[in-house]
Amino acid sequence: MKTIDLLLATRYNNIGYIYCKLENTEQALHYIQKALDYTRSLPSNIPLISRIFCNLTVTYEQSENYSKSEFYWKKGLEHHLQSMPNNTDATASLFQAVAITLADHQKYAESIEYLKRSLTICKNQEQILLFSCYKHLATAYNGLKEFQTADKYLQKAIEIAHTLSSIDLSPIYVDSGNNHYQAQNYQQALLSYGKALEFSQLHNNLSTHLKIFIVYTIQNESTHALNYYEHNIRSRLAEMTGLFMLELSALAAPKPLKLPFQLEYA
């Protein structure tokens, strides 16, 4: 192995990563590609190559070249599988990362394939990874409008989430409510949104209140909808309007003059 090539590949990859963080995709691609070129003389199983592929993925995603982004995710995963143990949380996370990208590009069926491969590993890893896998499976099935299957995975995710102190339960219940709403299962949607409010860390979760109001409206429960609006939404909208007006007045208020020097008094 040429030590100088390993050093240069590492440095070029790091420079490219910095440009990527700065969202200068042209320079990022230039340096990361140079890093990849220097790996040609290196053993094919070094972890650096996987990191280079991952950086190329993120950079192409930034530049909205989604086909290249997917290509390098898969290349990175393929390299990882060939060079590293396949039953680790890192491998499960990589499968999920590829799947999330595919789902973002609305390639839900392909996303599910990768998530199911992750799932076989996750079952022997930390619960947080299993939670994540179930949640993303639900997202993919929801994208396919297979709401019942999506709900099955959401319930699995919720069950795990209740055992993890690090998880905010509110968003997963919102996801459940949204899935039921799309399936036109409005009573279950109301229950899920109610749970989301129960576990919400926000005292003024207006978006969830609005979802509940909309469900009541769709069900032609005008009395419920009106009462809910009066008790849970009107005051919050007024608070938000008041805060907005305060911010506007603060912006309009004259700012104290800032001098580039200190005044001296005799």
Side-chain angles (χ1 to χ4, degrees):
M1 179 173 72
K2 294 183 179 179
T3 305
I4 187 64
D5 285 353
L6 177 60
L7 179 63
L8 287 170
T10 302
R11 288 190 175 177
Y12 279 129
N13 185 52
N14 290 342
I15 294 169
Y17 173 77
I18 292 168
Y19 274 116
C20 180
K21 295 292 283 184
L22 294 172
E23 298 185 5
N24 186 336
T25 55
E26 185 177 348
Q27 286 296 316
L29 287 172
H30 170 73
Y31 282 103
I32 299 169
Q33 191 60 56
K34 282 177 76 74
L36 188 60
D37 291 341
Y38 275 104
T39 64
R40 301 193 194 286
S41 65
L42 303 176
S44 61
N45 63 344
I46 60 171
L48 174 63
I49 296 174
S50 292
R51 291 198 292 273
I52 290 171
F53 284 139
C54 288
N55 284 342
L56 282 168
T57 295
V58 174
T59 307
Y60 277 118
E61 191 77 13
Q62 276 186 357
S63 61
E64 299 182 0
N65 189 335
Y66 300 128
S67 60
K68 283 283 185 73
S69 170
E70 291 173 18
F71 172 78
Y72 281 110
W73 256 138
K74 292 173 184 178
K75 287 284 287 183
L77 177 59
E78 179 186 342
H79 179 270
H80 177 86
L81 292 174
Q82 291 173 353
S83 59
M84 302 292 287
N86 290 181
N87 60 345
T88 64
D89 56 353
T91 305
S93 296
L94 264 176
F95 275 122
Q96 289 187 35
V98 176
I100 291 166
T101 299
L102 290 166
D104 286 344
H105 302 164
Q106 299 185 351
K107 296 183 177 181
Y108 301 115
E110 195 176 353
S111 174
I112 288 167
E113 291 178 19
Y114 282 92
L115 286 168
K116 286 189 173 178
R117 293 182 71 180
S118 176
L119 187 59
T120 60
I121 303 169
C122 287
K123 288 179 178 178
N124 299 315
Q125 302 298 329
E126 293 184 8
Q127 288 289 88
I128 187 70
L129 267 176
L130 189 57
F131 163 80
S132 175
C133 194
Y134 284 142
K135 184 176 182 294
H136 292 305
L137 276 165
T139 300
Y141 277 110
N142 177 272
L144 291 174
K145 302 190 184 307
E146 295 185 24
F147 303 120
Q148 191 171 354
T149 307
D151 181 59
K152 180 184 77 172
Y153 285 112
L154 279 167
Q155 295 311 311
K156 287 176 179 287
I158 288 169
E159 184 179 344
I160 293 172
H162 275 278
T163 69
L164 299 171
S165 59
S166 60
I167 296 291
D168 179 4
L169 288 162
S170 183
I172 192 71
Y173 275 113
V174 169
D175 288 345
S176 176
N178 291 344
N179 186 66
H180 285 304
Y181 175 83
Q182 289 174 274
Q184 299 182 0
N185 189 351
Y186 298 124
Q187 286 302 314
Q188 287 299 317
L190 286 173
L191 289 173
S192 293
Y193 289 143
K195 282 287 188 182
L197 288 174
E198 180 184 335
F199 289 106
S200 177
Q201 296 175 0
L202 301 172
H203 297 297
N204 190 8
N205 198 330
L206 182 60
S207 64
T208 306
H209 283 300
L210 285 170
K211 290 175 191 288
I212 293 173
F213 170 72
I214 290 168
V215 172
Y216 279 133
T217 304
I218 288 172
Q219 290 183 295
N220 293 320
E221 296 185 23
S222 53
T223 303
H224 273 114
L226 184 60
N227 286 338
Y228 196 85
Y229 176 82
E230 292 292 339
H231 287 93
N232 298 286
I233 297 175
R234 182 194 288 274
S235 61
R236 288 170 170 80
L237 286 174
E239 287 172 14
M240 290 179 67
T241 304
L243 287 171
F244 179 66
M245 294 305 294
L246 279 174
E247 288 176 5
L248 280 181
S249 62
L251 287 171
K255 300 289 189 297
L257 183 63
K258 289 187 177 180
L259 299 175
F261 53 86
Q262 282 191 324
L263 293 175
E264 294 183 4
Y265 297 94

